[in-house]
Amino acid sequence: MLDFPPWKVWTIALVSLLGVLFAVPNFFSEDAVKSWPTSLPHSKLALGLDLRGGSHLMLEAATDEVRKTKLEALEDSVRGELRDANGGSVPFADLSTNGGQLSVTITDPTALDRGVEALRKLSQPLGGLTGQRDFEVSVVDGNRIVITESDAGVAKAVNDAMAQAVEVIRKRIDELGTREPTIVRQGDNRIVVQVPGLQDPSKLKALIGKTAKLEFKLVDTAADPAQAAQGHAPPGSQVLGFADQPGVIVVKRRALITGDQLTDAHLSNDQNGRPATSFAFDSEGSRKFAKATQANVGKPFAIILDNKVISAPNINEPILGGSGIISGSFTTESANNLAILLRSGKLPVELKVIEERTVGPDLGADSIRAGTLAGIVAVVAVSLLMIVTYGRFGVYAVMALILNVFMILGVMSVGGFTLTLPGIAGLVLTIGAAVDANVLINERIREEQRKGRGVIQSVEVGYRDATRTIWDANSLNIIVAIIMFFFGSGPIKGFAVVLSIGIATSVFTAVTVTRLMVATWLRSRRPSVLAI
C-alpha cells in the first residue's frame, strides 16, 4: 500500500496544485484578481445573503386568479369542441365564466348529449386511485352545460403554477447576472427570494412583480368614447387604460396573438432613435401574426402588457417576418427590463410582495470575521494537538489539513457554490472532522507496533485497516449531506454543500496525501524505529 507509481504521484500533486490555485483568488481583492493574466483562475467564492448582504422578498400568489385564468383559457377550447363535435357542430349561446364556473347554453335540445360528450373530453384525469378529474361537467336547467373545477383540479393547477413561477423568477434574476440566488417555495402559495449583493429591493420587485402577459388585440373603433370613459364597452370588447398616459381605449376581448410564442426580445431603438423593445415569434407565432395583420390592414391594434396598453399603432401593412418592435415612453432601463420580462415568459399567477427586507453587508462582514477567527483558532488548536500527540505524523496531518482548507475553497470557487453563515459552520466542522481520519490511522499504526510488527508493516496495516473504516464513516456522512441538500432550503443547503465538499477533500488529503508523504519519508530514511 505504500507503493506509489509515478503516475499516481503526479496525479496527487496535480490535484493538490489545482486545488490551491483555484483557492488563491480568494485572498486578493477584486481589482487585483482582474489584473491577472487570463490564464490564471479568477473565480472567487460567492458569498450568500447572510455574509454579503442583499435583498429578501417573500411573494404570495393570488391563487384565486389561477382558477379564474384557467376557466378563461377554457373558453376557446369549449368553442372548438362544440364546433367540431361528433355528428356536426353543436349550436350554443351565452358562453361565459362567472362565479367560479363556465357555462354555455345549448340552443338545440337535440344536440345537448353531443355537447356534453364533446365537453367531457376537456376534463383530464389527475391520476391516482380516486379517479378524480380536473373538471366536472354537468347539465342544469335542461339546456345549460356547466363546467366546474374540482378541488383536486384547483390544487394541481396552483401547484403547477407555483412551480412554473419559480422557474420564471429564476430566469429573470439570472438575467441580472446575479450569482446563486435562493428561490424556494414556502407552503402552498408563497415563494421566498433572496438575492445576495443586490441592495436595492425595489429593482428586484420591479422585475419579478410583473406578470409580463403580452397580448396583441384589435382596437374597437366602433365603441362609444363617452361610454368607454365610464368603463362601459360593447359585448366582446373591454376597456383598458394606458401604461404611461391618462385615458382609456376599447379593445376586442379576444387577442390576435399572445406573447406565449415569443422566442426572443431585446433592447433596440425605434425609428426616432428612442429606446424600444424588439421581439420575434417562433414559426407558429409568426404564421399567426402574419395572418392576423394581413386580415386587418389599416386597423389599429393595441400592444398590451399586463392589461395596460403600451401603444396602439395602425397596421399599415402585413407583418410577415415574425418580428416587431414595441415603442413607447421607454427609458433604456425600462425597455431593457421589458425585454428581460418577455424573454423569461409570463408569470402563470400574480405575485404580491408581503415581506421585504434588506440585509446590510456590515452584518455579513462581522460574520465573516467571526467565522475566519473560528477557523484559524480551530486550525491552530488542532495542529498543536496533532503535533504534540503524533510528532512527525502529526505534522503530516497538519499539512494535509491546511491543503484540505485550500481545496474546499478552490472547489467552491470554481464550482460557483455559495458560502453562507451555516457554510462557515460546516467548514469549521470539516476542519475538526478531517483530523479524525489521521487520528484513526495513527492509532491503528500504534496498535500494530504494540503487536510487534515492523515499521513498514505497521504503517501498511494501519493505513489499510483505518482507510476501510474512514470510507464507511464518510459514506454515511455523504448520504446525510445529500439528503439535507435535496430536502433542505437556503442555509441548510449551504451547510450540506460545504459538508459534502469537505468530506470528499478531507478523505483525499487525510488518507491519500498523508500516505504519500509517509511513503516518501519511509523510502528515503528507512527508519528502524517509528516514533508515533
Side-chain angles (χ1 to χ4, degrees):
M1 290 186 69
L2 296 179
D3 181 35
F4 280 86
W7 69 266
K8 188 179 284 188
V9 174
W10 282 108
T11 301
I12 295 171
L14 180 62
V15 172
S16 302
L17 179 63
L18 288 177
V20 174
L21 271 179
F22 285 121
V24 166
N26 294 292
F27 300 97
F28 294 87
S29 66
E30 289 279 357
D31 292 337
V33 172
K34 287 179 181 175
S35 65
W36 290 0
T38 54
S39 56
L40 294 178
H42 287 70
S43 300
K44 297 188 68 170
L45 200 58
L47 301 179
L49 185 73
D50 47 1
L51 297 179
R52 188 182 176 190
S55 299
H56 166 104
L57 296 179
M58 180 180 287
L59 309 166
E60 186 173 79
T63 50
D64 288 343
E65 287 295 317
V66 177
R67 178 195 293 261
K68 183 180 176 183
T69 302
K70 192 174 180 185
L71 278 178
E72 289 177 349
L74 199 62
E75 284 190 20
D76 283 343
S77 300
V78 168
R79 287 191 185 91
E81 291 294 340
L82 292 178
R83 186 175 56 243
D84 301 330
N86 290 333
S89 176
V90 176
F92 65 93
D94 300 333
L95 174 61
S96 63
T97 56
N98 194 18
Q101 63 183 20
L102 184 150
S103 68
V104 58
T105 300
I106 305 302
T107 54
D108 181 2
T110 61
L112 180 63
D113 291 340
R114 288 194 296 112
V116 171
E117 181 184 357
L119 296 188
R120 279 186 174 149
K121 295 177 183 175
L122 298 174
S123 178
Q124 300 296 322
L126 297 175
L129 301 176
T130 60
Q132 289 181 308
R133 306 181 76 87
D134 56 350
F135 292 109
E136 295 171 357
V137 180
S138 58
V139 178
V140 298
D141 301 333
N143 65 339
R144 191 157 59 95
I145 301 176
V146 173
I147 299 178
T148 309
E149 289 179 284
S150 66
D151 291 339
V154 172
K156 182 178 183 304
V158 170
N159 185 60
D160 293 345
M162 293 298 290
Q164 187 181 348
V166 168
E167 289 306 311
V168 171
I169 291 173
R170 188 178 303 282
K171 288 180 183 177
R172 292 182 182 181
I173 294 178
D174 286 347
E175 294 275 1
L176 292 176
T178 305
R179 296 176 64 184
E180 294 294 322
T182 299
I183 306 167
V184 294
R185 284 182 61 177
Q186 189 172 81
D188 293 334
N189 63 339
R190 291 182 176 179
I191 298 173
V192 174
V193 179
Q194 294 180 335
V195 183
L198 185 64
Q199 300 298 327
D200 183 8
S202 61
K203 186 176 182 180
L204 185 62
K205 283 194 300 182
L207 190 62
I208 64 177
K210 289 184 179 177
T211 304
K213 181 181 180 184
L214 182 67
E215 298 170 293
F216 299 84
K217 294 183 176 181
L218 280 178
V219 176
D220 187 349
T221 53
D224 184 351
Q227 290 287 319
Q230 297 177 7
H232 302 305
S237 298
Q238 63 183 138
V239 179
L240 295 178
F242 288 93
D244 55 2
Q245 65 184 58
V248 296
I249 188 171
V250 181
V251 300
K252 295 291 185 182
R253 192 174 290 276
R254 292 189 63 184
L256 293 174
I257 190 171
T258 66
D260 294 343
Q261 290 165 314
L262 284 179
T263 57
D264 186 30
H266 59 270
L267 174 66
S268 63
N269 295 98
D270 62 14
Q271 64 271 24
N272 298 316
R274 294 174 301 190
T277 303
S278 296
F279 62 87
F281 287 109
D282 60 14
S283 57
E284 177 66 16
S286 299
R287 188 186 61 77
K288 287 183 178 179
F289 199 49
K291 184 178 179 182
T293 53
Q294 276 178 325
N296 295 285
V297 171
K299 298 179 182 177
F301 76 111
I303 302 173
I304 304 163
L305 183 70
D306 292 345
N307 286 327
K308 294 289 183 183
V309 177
I310 297 176
S311 60
N314 272 332
I315 303 174
N316 297 321
E317 58 185 16
I319 303 174
L320 305 176
S323 62
I325 187 169
I326 302 174
S327 58
S329 301
F330 291 122
T331 62
T332 300
E333 182 179 5
S334 62
N336 187 52
N337 282 345
L338 176 57
I340 292 173
L341 292 172
L342 297 181
R343 280 201 301 269
S344 58
K346 71 173 183 180
L347 283 171
V349 59
E350 182 182 354
L351 297 172
K352 295 180 180 177
V353 177
I354 61 171
E355 182 181 315
E356 173 185 337
R357 276 192 288 123
T358 301
V359 180
D362 292 342
L363 179 62
D366 291 341
S367 300
I368 292 174
R369 279 193 292 273
T372 304
L373 178 62
I376 292 173
V377 170
V379 169
V380 171
V382 168
S383 299
L384 288 175
L385 181 64
M386 292 297 291
I387 293 173
V388 169
T389 306
Y390 298 109
R392 175 182 293 277
F393 283 71
V395 173
Y396 293 151
V398 171
M399 293 170 66
L401 181 63
I402 295 172
L403 176 61
N404 182 36
V405 174
F406 273 92
M407 292 191 70
I408 293 174
L409 296 178
V411 171
M412 292 191 68
S413 299
V414 74
F417 298 106
T418 300
L419 181 65
T420 61
L421 194 56
I424 290 180
L427 182 61
V428 176
L429 177 64
T430 302
I431 291 173
V435 294
D436 283 352
N438 290 108
V439 170
L440 191 60
I441 292 168
N442 295 341
E443 290 300 324
R444 288 292 300 138
I445 294 174
R446 280 180 171 178
E447 286 181 17
E448 296 305 317
Q449 280 205 306
R450 284 195 289 268
K451 291 178 182 177
R453 295 185 187 273
V455 171
I456 300 296
Q457 200 173 19
S458 297
V459 173
E460 283 186 344
V461 175
Y463 264 97
R464 184 188 61 204
D465 291 351
T467 299
R468 191 181 303 122
T469 306
I470 291 166
W471 273 106
D472 292 344
N474 284 289
S475 297
L476 295 175
N477 288 336
I478 281 285
I479 291 172
V480 171
I482 291 173
I483 291 172
M484 281 198 296
F485 181 82
F486 282 104
F487 290 94
S489 63
I492 303 298
K493 284 193 172 186
F495 180 82
V497 167
V498 176
L499 187 63
S500 301
I501 295 173
I503 290 171
T505 56
S506 67
V507 170
F508 172 74
T509 56
V511 177
T512 306
V513 175
T514 61
R515 194 169 60 189
L516 176 60
M517 293 177 182
V518 171
T520 304
W521 174 69
L522 289 176
R523 280 200 301 268
S524 63
R525 298 298 177 89
R526 299 191 177 280
S528 56
V529 178
L530 199 60
I532 184 170

